[in-house]
Amino acid sequence: MKSIHCRFRGLAMVLAASTFLAGTIGASAQTAPPPASILTPDKVETRIGTLDFKDGMPSKETIEKVYDNLDFTHAFEAFVNTFQGVSIAALHKGFQSVGVKDNEVLIFSDLMDAKSLFLTANADTIYSLGMLDLSKGPMVLEVGPKMLGAIDDQWFRWVIDLGAPGPDRGEGGKYLILPPGYDGNVPEGGYFVARARTNFVIWFARAFMENNDPKPVVEQIKKTLKVYPYEAGGYGTPVAEFLAGKTKLGPITVPPPTVFHEGTGKVMNTIPPNDYSYYEWLNEVVQQEPATALDAELMGPIAAIGIVKGKPFAPDARMKKILTEAVALANATSRTLFMAPRAADWYYYPGSSWVNQLFVSGYEFETPIPEITPEGAKPFPATGYRLLDSRTSFFYGVTGITPGMAMRLPGIGSQYLWTILDADKQPFDGAKTYKVTLPKDIPYANFWSFILYDNQTRSMLDTSQSYPRAGSQSYPSPAAEAAADGTTTVWFSPEQPEGVARGNWIQTVPGKGFIPCLRLYGPLEPFFTKEWRPSEVELVK
């Protein structure tokens, strides 16, 4: 009994002590003030004004301000982070405006001139391009030899290269593009196969002139370039696959003739809007493509402003006002990123105004362009983050993305440098005269050129010249002439400067700004090592 009594007494003491400690801790927790860092003041000063919180509870006015700002933020992000999808939609609409249907070809037989509004297109190569509709099944794109191009999806993501940088390596070949979720027959050979994440893809190819003449190349393109539906079980499918019960056999038939449309001299707009209609175009893209075609995080802001696959987009008056305000600021931000980059590493040379951010971001805006060494390519490790400002800037000013635009491999692909400012870091004035000097031994395997672009449209500057270019080719304007010391100077001015050859002058427009862009097709080693460097663009008068 004594033992039992002692045990009960001990237990009682333990329980009493526990109760005392719990009470002490509880009292301590109740009396200690919470950290200031977790509290919200009664009044919070912000960019959108003073916000009122009574003991942490937002007032009615604060709730309205905060939600207006949240909707504005989502709308802003839907522009700066997904502009590229609407850019493809603008191209699609531009093709349709001149009668080019899906799975047909727009070709610029006499090169592209300034009548067409295309983001930083060139006036030096023969363009052929179009949209492939994969919603009814796989499509085949056959390209001939000596082409240079790529296929991008509806959200402007690279799918596959064509021609010299692609698997056909400039020899030509058949490209089979499979739609999202395709699980049907895939041939064992005969095609370069690529899978797209969207129902529509854009393809574009460039070809170089022969002896400064586009005609023979255009004839070859029209003979060899074909677009047609893939016939499952046909060419590329061995009979053994059928005998093994793995597939059905299909016919091998002659594809229907490809329809070509002439683009030279046509007036068309392929540039996205920057007013409220932008969101209507964005909604069209979302409704057209699979719900999972775009990464969920990027689709989040789009859904937050009421653009959801399978649902009507019907913003009320309040939301329309917010969207209109958001697109204005988003466009202003995108334009500023393109016209006035603040990231020092976007500039190709230290202290220079020549820009190309792809060397830093790569074509996916995540990992820098691989180094090329005597032992081969040396890729950089993945950074793990997307360079969002770089992506916004690039797609605001440029059409098309491919590894071919972002590589250091001599003699293949093409490289670009553009500048928004002159040597004195001032914007260009179309009423003044400027000059830029290229040192001797310009590092190109194919040709080089300068083209001027309109500040507003980011398309070729429209002047009486029609083709605002100068370069090593003698068509569609005379070739630039080098000086006795091997250097080449190109002039930008409203009137041809006295003593300057026609091929060394590009016309400008008083009252309009412009963007000079230097292109090297087949750039050589001195460009990548930077031992060869163009001058800054100098103001003459």
Side-chain angles (χ1 to χ4, degrees):
M1 287 292 292
K2 184 177 181 180
S3 173
I4 294 173
H5 177 74
C6 289
R7 285 201 296 271
F8 273 114
R9 184 179 178 186
L11 179 59
M13 292 175 67
V14 171
L15 290 173
S18 300
T19 302
F20 173 77
L21 289 172
T24 303
I25 293 171
S28 175
Q30 290 172 3
T31 57
S37 60
I38 71 169
L39 300 180
T40 300
D42 288 346
K43 290 191 179 295
V44 179
E45 301 298 333
T46 73
R47 289 189 177 197
I48 60 173
T50 302
L51 305 180
D52 296 313
F53 293 87
K54 185 177 181 180
D55 192 28
M57 182 63 194
S59 67
K60 180 181 178 182
E61 293 77 12
T62 290
I63 292 170
E64 291 176 354
K65 285 182 181 180
V66 166
Y67 279 121
D68 282 354
N69 183 66
L70 183 61
D71 290 337
F72 179 93
T73 301
H74 289 318
F76 179 90
E77 291 178 345
F79 186 98
V80 299
N81 288 331
T82 58
F83 179 90
Q84 54 270 31
V86 179
S87 187
I88 293 287
L91 285 159
H92 201 170
K93 290 175 184 289
F95 298 163
Q96 293 171 334
S97 72
V98 292
V100 182
K101 300 176 183 177
D102 300 330
N103 307 324
E104 296 181 345
V105 179
L106 178 64
I107 186 169
F108 289 81
S109 300
D110 205 23
L111 310 186
M112 189 183 293
D113 59 19
K115 292 190 184 332
S116 295
L117 297 179
F118 276 80
L119 293 174
T120 52
N122 72 65
D124 301 294
T125 62
I126 302 155
Y127 275 109
S128 51
L129 63 168
M131 298 292 297
L132 298 182
D133 178 2
L134 306 177
S135 64
K136 301 176 183 64
M139 293 293 297
V140 177
L141 173 65
E142 285 191 35
V143 299
K146 299 180 181 179
M147 301 291 275
L148 178 70
I151 298 176
D152 290 334
D153 75 9
Q154 178 66 60
W155 292 107
F156 241 139
R157 293 170 301 208
W158 174 72
V159 176
I160 193 170
D161 278 330
L162 309 172
D168 74 78
R169 301 296 298 278
E171 298 298 316
K174 299 180 179 182
Y175 288 80
L176 174 60
I177 311 304
L178 307 179
Y182 180 77
D183 60 0
N185 173 271
V186 177
E188 286 195 353
Y191 299 89
F192 304 113
V193 181
R195 291 183 178 272
R197 295 170 61 185
T198 57
N199 291 324
F200 285 80
V201 300
I202 188 170
W203 65 271
F204 53 92
R206 294 161 291 170
F208 302 151
M209 294 183 287
E210 282 186 10
N211 299 317
N212 296 295
D213 184 0
K215 291 184 178 62
V217 180
V218 170
E219 291 176 5
Q220 180 188 35
I221 291 172
K222 290 185 174 181
K223 287 179 182 178
T224 58
L225 197 151
K226 298 181 176 66
V227 181
Y228 53 89
Y230 168 67
E231 293 187 343
Y235 177 78
T237 303
V239 175
E241 289 286 296
F242 166 72
L243 297 175
K246 296 179 180 179
T247 188
K248 294 181 180 180
L249 288 181
I252 298 180
T253 58
V254 177
T258 298
V259 178
F260 287 86
H261 296 263
E262 183 54 57
T264 301
K266 292 287 180 66
V267 176
M268 70 187 85
N269 174 36
T270 70
I271 301 174
N274 53 28
D275 58 14
Y276 170 78
S277 65
Y278 169 87
Y279 297 105
E280 295 176 324
W281 288 30
L282 180 60
N283 179 59
E284 291 177 18
V285 175
V286 170
Q287 302 306 327
Q288 166 192 289
E289 297 300 337
T292 56
L294 188 64
D295 297 340
E297 290 292 329
L298 286 176
M299 192 61 81
I302 298 174
I305 60 173
I307 298 177
V308 178
K309 174 78 171 179
K311 296 183 179 181
F313 175 51
D316 58 17
R318 167 191 164 273
M319 195 63 186
K320 281 186 177 180
K321 181 175 183 295
I322 289 172
L323 293 173
T324 302
E325 292 172 351
V327 75
L329 182 58
N331 175 71
T333 302
S334 303
R335 173 170 286 278
T336 300
L337 284 168
F338 181 69
M339 301 291 289
R342 67 177 179 180
D345 56 2
W346 290 15
Y347 296 93
Y348 194 58
Y349 308 101
S352 172
S353 293
W354 292 110
V355 175
N356 187 335
Q357 69 261 42
L358 291 185
F359 285 94
V360 180
S361 68
Y363 73 97
E364 291 189 311
F365 306 96
E366 190 269 336
T367 302
I369 297 175
E371 296 282 2
I372 303 298
T373 70
E375 292 74 35
K378 182 183 177 183
F380 287 93
T383 62
Y385 56 84
R386 193 83 62 197
L387 293 167
L388 299 179
D389 289 351
S390 179
R391 182 177 64 188
T392 297
S393 168
F394 184 85
F395 283 117
Y396 190 79
V398 181
T399 290
I401 191 66
T402 160
M405 298 168 67
M407 61 182 179
R408 295 185 173 94
L409 197 59
I412 297 179
S414 50
Q415 287 295 340
Y416 317 99
L417 295 176
W418 62 90
T419 180
I420 312 296
L421 302 174
D422 67 16
D424 299 318
K425 308 298 184 186
Q426 297 299 311
F428 294 107
D429 182 343
K432 297 180 179 179
T433 298
Y434 301 85
K435 68 176 182 178
V436 58
T437 300
L438 305 181
K440 67 177 182 178
D441 300 325
I442 302 172
Y444 66 91
N446 296 306
F447 63 90
W448 68 268
S449 80
F450 264 109
I451 292 183
L452 297 189
Y453 295 100
D454 185 312
N455 276 0
Q456 282 281 8
T457 66
R458 295 90 76 199
S459 302
M460 282 188 276
L461 189 65
D462 193 6
T463 70
S464 61
Q465 285 183 334
S466 296
Y467 299 93
R469 64 165 297 278
S472 57
Q473 298 185 132
S474 60
Y475 188 90
S477 56
E481 300 176 13
D485 62 359
T487 63
T488 303
T489 301
V490 177
W491 297 71
F492 312 135
S493 60
E495 304 292 337
Q496 185 173 343
E498 185 177 351
V500 172
R502 168 63 185 84
N504 295 63
W505 167 61
I506 306 178
Q507 188 175 27
T508 59
V509 180
K512 284 208 68 64
F514 58 88
I515 305 166
C517 180
L518 171 64
R519 282 178 164 84
L520 299 175
Y521 286 88
L524 301 179
E525 189 72 15
F527 172 77
F528 297 111
T529 61
K530 302 183 183 180
E531 61 184 279
W532 182 90
R533 171 178 174 173
S535 77
E536 300 299 296
V537 181
E538 302 172 9
L539 174 64
V540 177
K541 63 178 180 178

